[in-house]
């Protein structure tokens, strides 16, 4: 340990130098690789979350990929506190001044709140396209049709569209009509915007579940990210329906008696929802792939993200090992359910983690949230936990049956 | 008497436990959570048998479960605060409309936006017309005592009762409290004998639709029962004194009001600071007193009038704001004083946990003594910060989020001071 003051000045210079490093050209990066994605500029930084928070890496990733066009609805909870600790905010801008627009409304209404963003953005985009068509004669057929028919499925496509919008603004400046002024104010909506609805398990599994369900059913193009700590983290560790069997939480002092609610399976039952379960620390490329698929899916997406939390009761420096363990016990199977596969006559569900190979007891002995339970079960603990292993195997087998169902079953749907 | 040093929340949990609740349901929200956690642990340890602790998925669900439990004949308890109370509202009205004597602690907290977890009275004040009895505790002992009285009173009248206690200031404060014995509480609170119960052996329908032909009468009855509570509350306080040996509850509590020219009206924990300030001003010769209101619903018009009518002026200090008019408590106090010619001053103070200091109160009361107060005053309001924001808004249509702008100003000004 050394006094801080003399270290601060040179470090400040180093930090300034670091900040001046140029960013990579987003249009040239291969975002589907971890290397390519990780060098993208994060627009979420220096949050006030706890050391080792398992939620923030997911939010950071979303901002790396979509931060420059992202609108976030954030349910009240940890992510709304470290996400909006005014007068500072971890959400930042890139050098063009673009960055995530973020808002927290309430706890329970977040999904509907985010749906409101989507509807409003879509309406504005529709009006903008209408105006472009109506002013076609004045702004030129070529520009008008390229604005309306732009392919915005890639970074390069989106950048090209933004450039077209700049061109449009120049043309509009010379047109002295009310419609032109109106289009000026709506022009930005011609570029794609990405709506993210973010919150914890208390919101998504419990108090806001009705809303999440409603928004999934709506079929609208939103991305729901559930940062699942399996407990009410912000209020200090109360049980939610995401709390796994046996975990000790407040309001569940004797250990939760029932298994974790399977939010993913519920969402899959719709058939038109993109659903994925991820654990960044266990398989980063899988998480990345999921985010890319979810965002590109023109419909509702649900990503359930395993998020270690101080409430789990272990040194979070080891969370990568624990995340791996959660996957290899079958507690947290990784999968992706992509309705687009059906159109190609394929099974929509892909199971991305192997059959459980590690005993649940090995996973839970490292986390103090489960420790009290093992003690309480006493001599029976071995037997009870072994039977839970069987349940996890059965759960995996169920997913496997779904994932390996005949592709031909889906031909009709296509 | 066994004095115990404990957190306000745990004092309340202990009181509720002594009342032998049968169903407890709640949803986590600060600053209420410690109360229910305490009860949850007691249930788990088997100390509250035969009580069931039900985990729910929202405050709305918590109140709905409490309604069901109460309608089926169980003594039901829940607790909440702030946004939680607001989310519960539809069910809150239902509980009183159905006449179910649920007891609920409200750990008073501000309402967003902007989100704020600290204390003021906006949450329960928003429910002043919901038909629940609302009692306000001044300190942890009274919070504990009021819960015992609440079950007694609510069950006698078939009305739900909200016990309001200042979030953090009381819920998280450690004080010495006298936790009564089970025998004392059993003596005071007989087993719950519901006026109506859902029981297939004697079937009834509860909650049927009522049209214009009887709706007014049903609502009038709700009002009449609260008027009845005005008589019962002092009686129960007297009986409480007899069994527990201390004054707690009642409608109002005057302090040094006998010859007072100025009387300060307030609710809840701030009364302690007000009384200290009054003692100091009395030493200087000011004729000033305080009137604490314990029962906000029903509102004790006659008792308030009785105390205030001989004063020259009344300062109503309240931790809530009726946007667009000013005070909430003030409106009721002024109604009590209609026909009397008193100066009345409304002071909005302590919003969102803003400290109400003795020095601010000294300044405020001295201004009142000279009749130099505006009719509506915001205690310690920083006009500079407000004016700067107004100026920004005048300069630019998109001047940025208000909360962020103003917080930045506060930080900048604080940095300059230090």
């Amino acid at each position: 340990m050394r006094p801080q003051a003399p270290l601060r000045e040179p470090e400040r210079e180093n930090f300034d130098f670091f900040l001046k490093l140029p960013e990579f050209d987003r249009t040239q990066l291969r975002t589907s690789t971890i290397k390519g994605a990780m060098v993208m500029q994060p627009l979420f930084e220096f949050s006030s979350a706890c050391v080792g928070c398992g939620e923030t890496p997911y939010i950071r990733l979303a901002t790396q990929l979509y931060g420059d066009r992202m609108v976030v609805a954030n349910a009240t909870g940890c992510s709304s506190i470290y996400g909006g600790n005014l007068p500072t905010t971890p959400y930042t801008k890139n050098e063009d001044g673009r960055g995530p627009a973020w808002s927290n409304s309430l706890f329970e209404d977040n999904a509907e709140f985010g749906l409101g963003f989507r509807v409003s953005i879509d309406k504005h985009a529709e009006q903008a396209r209408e105006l472009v068509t109506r002013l076609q004669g004045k702004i030129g057929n070529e520009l008008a049709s390229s604005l309306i028919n732009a392919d915005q499925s890639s970074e390069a496509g989106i950048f090209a569209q933004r450039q077209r919008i700049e061109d449009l603004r120049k043309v509009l400046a010379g047109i002295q009509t009310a419609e032109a002024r109106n289009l000026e104010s709506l022009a930005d909506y011609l570029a794609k915007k990405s709506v993210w609805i973010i919150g914890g398990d208390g919101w998504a599994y419990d108090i806001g579940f009705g809303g999440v369900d409603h928004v999934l059913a709506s079929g609208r193009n939103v991305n729901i990210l559930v940062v699942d700590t399996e407990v009410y983290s912000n209020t200090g560790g109360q049980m939610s329906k995401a709390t796994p069997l046996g975990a000790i939480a407040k309001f569940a002092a004797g250990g939760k008696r029932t298994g974790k609610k399977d939010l993913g399976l519920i969402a899959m039952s719709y058939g038109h929802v993109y659903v994925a379960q991820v654990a960044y620390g266990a398989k980063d490329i899988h998480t990345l792939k999921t985010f890319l698929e979810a965002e590109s899916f023109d419909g509702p997406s649900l990503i359930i993200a395993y998020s270690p939390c101080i409430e789990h009761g272990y040194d979070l420096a080891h969370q990568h090992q624990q995340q791996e363990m959660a996957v290899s016990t079958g507690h947290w199977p990784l999968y992706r359910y992509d309705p687009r596969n059906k159109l190609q006559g394929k099974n929509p569900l892909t199971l991305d983690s192997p059959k459980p190979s590690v005993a649940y007891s090995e996973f839970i002995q490292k986390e103090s949230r489960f420790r009290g339970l093992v003690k309480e079960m006493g001599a029976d603990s071995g037997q009870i936990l072994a039977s839970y292993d069987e349940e996890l195997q059965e759960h995996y087998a169920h997913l496997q049956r779904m994932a390996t169902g005949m592709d031909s079953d889906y031909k009709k749907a296509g | 008497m066994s004095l115990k040093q404990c957190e306000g929340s745990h004092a309340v949990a202990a009181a509720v436990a002594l009342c032998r609740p049968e169903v407890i349901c709640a949803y986590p929200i600060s600053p209420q959570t410690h109360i229910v956690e305490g009860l949850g642990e007691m249930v788990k340890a088997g100390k509250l048998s035969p009580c069931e602790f039900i985990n729910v998925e929202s405050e709305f669900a918590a109140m709905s479960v409490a309604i069901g439990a109460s309608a089926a004949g169980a003594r039901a308890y829940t607790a909440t605060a702030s946004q939680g109370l607001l989310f519960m509202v539809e069910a809150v009205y239902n509980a009183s409309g159905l006449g179910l004597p649920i007891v609920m602690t409200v750990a008073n907290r501000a309402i967003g936006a902007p989100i704020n977890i600290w204390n003021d009275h906006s949450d329960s004040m928003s429910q002043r017309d919901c038909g629940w009895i609302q009692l306000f505790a001044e300190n942890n002992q009274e919070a504990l005592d009021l819960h015992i009285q609440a079950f007694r009173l609510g069950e006698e009248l078939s009305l739900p009762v909200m016990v309001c206690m200042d979030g953090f200031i009381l819920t998280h404060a450690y004080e010495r409290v006298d936790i009564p014995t089970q025998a004392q509480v059993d003596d005071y609170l007989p087993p719950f004998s519901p006026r109506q119960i859902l029981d297939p052996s004697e079937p009834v329908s509860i909650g049927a639709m009522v049209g214009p032909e009887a709706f007014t009468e049903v609502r009038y009855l709700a009002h009449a029962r609260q008027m009845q509570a005005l008589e019962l509350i002092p009686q129960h306080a007297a009986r409480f004194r007899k069994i527990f040996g201390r004054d707690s509850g009642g409608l109002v509590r005057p302090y040094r009001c006998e010859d007072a020219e100025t009387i300060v009206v307030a609710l809840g924990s701030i009364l302690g600071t007000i009384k200290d300030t009054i003692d100091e001003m009395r030493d200087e010769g000011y004729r000033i007193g305080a009137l604490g209101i314990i029962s906000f619903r029903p509102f004790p018009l006659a008792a308030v009038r009785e105390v205030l009518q001989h004063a020259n002026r009344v300062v109503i200090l309240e931790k809530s704001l009726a946007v667009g008019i000013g005070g909430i408590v003030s409106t009721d106090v002024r109604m009590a004083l209609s026909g009397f010619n008193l100066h009345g001053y409304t002071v909005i103070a302590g919003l969102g946990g803003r400290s109400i200091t003795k020095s601010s109160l000294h300044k405020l009361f001295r201004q009142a003594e000279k009749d130099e107060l505006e009719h509506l005053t915001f205690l310690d309001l920083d006009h500079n910060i407000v004016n700067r924001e107004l100026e920004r808004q005048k300069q630019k249509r998109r001047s940025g989020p208000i909360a962020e702008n103003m917080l930045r100003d506060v930080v900048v000004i604080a940095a300059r001071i230090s």
Side-chain angles (χ1 to χ4, degrees), chain A residues 41-364:
Chain A
Q41 186 186 6
L43 297 175
F44 176 88
E45 55 183 18
F46 316 121
S47 79
S48 52
C50 306
V51 173
C53 173
E55 299 183 355
T56 49
Y58 295 106
I59 299 174
R60 183 180 189 272
L61 175 64
T63 70
Q64 284 180 300
L65 297 170
Y66 309 111
D68 66 348
R69 51 182 177 277
M70 181 178 193
V71 190
V72 185
N74 206 135
T76 305
C78 285
S79 54
S80 78
I81 304 302
Y82 63 65
N85 216 343
L86 291 173
T88 67
T89 162
Y91 290 95
T92 186
K93 303 172 189 169
N94 65 16
E95 60 175 8
D96 301 330
R98 290 180 175 277
W102 180 94
S103 184
N104 158 238
S105 167
L106 294 172
F107 188 9
E108 64 275 7
D109 73 343
N110 192 48
E112 299 94 320
F113 182 51
L115 179 64
F117 291 176
R118 180 78 270 165
V119 174
S120 165
I121 289 167
D122 288 352
K123 275 288 144 204
H124 282 123
E126 201 181 300
Q127 285 172 33
R129 282 194 297 269
E130 259 177 46
L131 284 166
V132 169
T133 313
R134 227 178 292 158
L135 291 167
Q136 203 166 5
K138 288 178 180 151
I139 57 180
N141 285 344
E142 199 185 336
L143 180 58
S145 81
S146 58
L147 273 167
I148 288 171
N149 303 316
D151 172 12
Q152 298 189 60
S153 60
S154 68
E155 285 290 317
I158 288 168
F159 273 70
Q161 180 74 344
R162 285 191 193 140
Q163 193 49 54
R164 277 180 218 113
I165 293 169
E166 286 314 306
D167 296 343
L168 173 68
R169 288 189 185 286
K170 282 179 205 143
V171 180
L172 288 174
I175 306 172
Q176 306 309 327
T177 65
E179 277 187 338
R181 294 293 77 74
N182 202 357
L183 181 52
E184 252 173 5
S185 71
L186 291 168
D188 268 341
Y189 290 96
L190 293 165
K192 189 172 162 183
K193 286 185 171 46
S194 184
V195 175
W196 287 77
I197 297 172
I198 300 176
D201 48 289
W203 161 67
Y205 287 68
D206 282 4
I207 199 168
F209 174 68
V212 169
D213 177 61
H214 187 79
V215 170
L216 292 178
S218 78
R220 301 297 286 250
N221 183 9
V222 295
N223 307 291
I224 301 180
L225 171 63
V226 180
V227 279
D228 187 351
T229 61
E230 310 195 310
V231 75
Y232 284 83
S233 298
N234 194 48
T235 46
Q238 294 81 19
M239 162 175 97
S240 78
K241 288 204 281 291
T243 305
L245 178 110
I248 304 265
K250 288 166 185 162
F251 291 13
K256 187 153 173 274
R257 294 285 163 199
T258 52
K260 185 183 172 79
K261 164 169 165 177
D262 199 327
L263 188 60
L265 270 181
I266 295 172
M268 275 184 236
S269 72
Y270 276 114
H272 68 258
V273 178
Y274 179 90
V275 188
Q277 193 159 281
V278 301
Y280 209 173
K283 207 170 178 185
D284 49 15
I285 184 70
H286 177 253
T287 301
L288 172 63
K289 198 169 183 181
T290 294
F291 273 57
L292 294 168
E293 287 179 355
E295 210 278 341
S296 68
F297 179 61
D298 185 18
S301 305
L302 174 70
I303 302 173
I304 307 164
Y306 190 68
S307 306
C309 170
I310 52 167
E311 292 291 341
H312 294 186
Y314 67 96
D315 180 355
L316 292 174
H318 307 300
Q319 65 165 287
H320 286 68
Q321 290 89 318
Q322 276 309 95
Q323 292 201 36
E324 269 179 38
M325 193 86 99
V327 172
S328 51
T329 54
H331 169 58
W332 197 271
L334 306 177
Y335 57 75
R336 289 165 297 133
Y337 181 99
D338 192 337
R340 283 170 294 201
N341 288 348
K342 289 194 271 187
L343 301 175
Q344 296 159 19
K346 289 187 195 152
N347 190 311
L349 180 64
T350 314
L351 195 47
D352 297 310
S353 57
K355 194 168 169 328
S357 57
V358 177
Y360 189 60
S361 56
E362 268 187 60
F363 163 60
I364 68 172

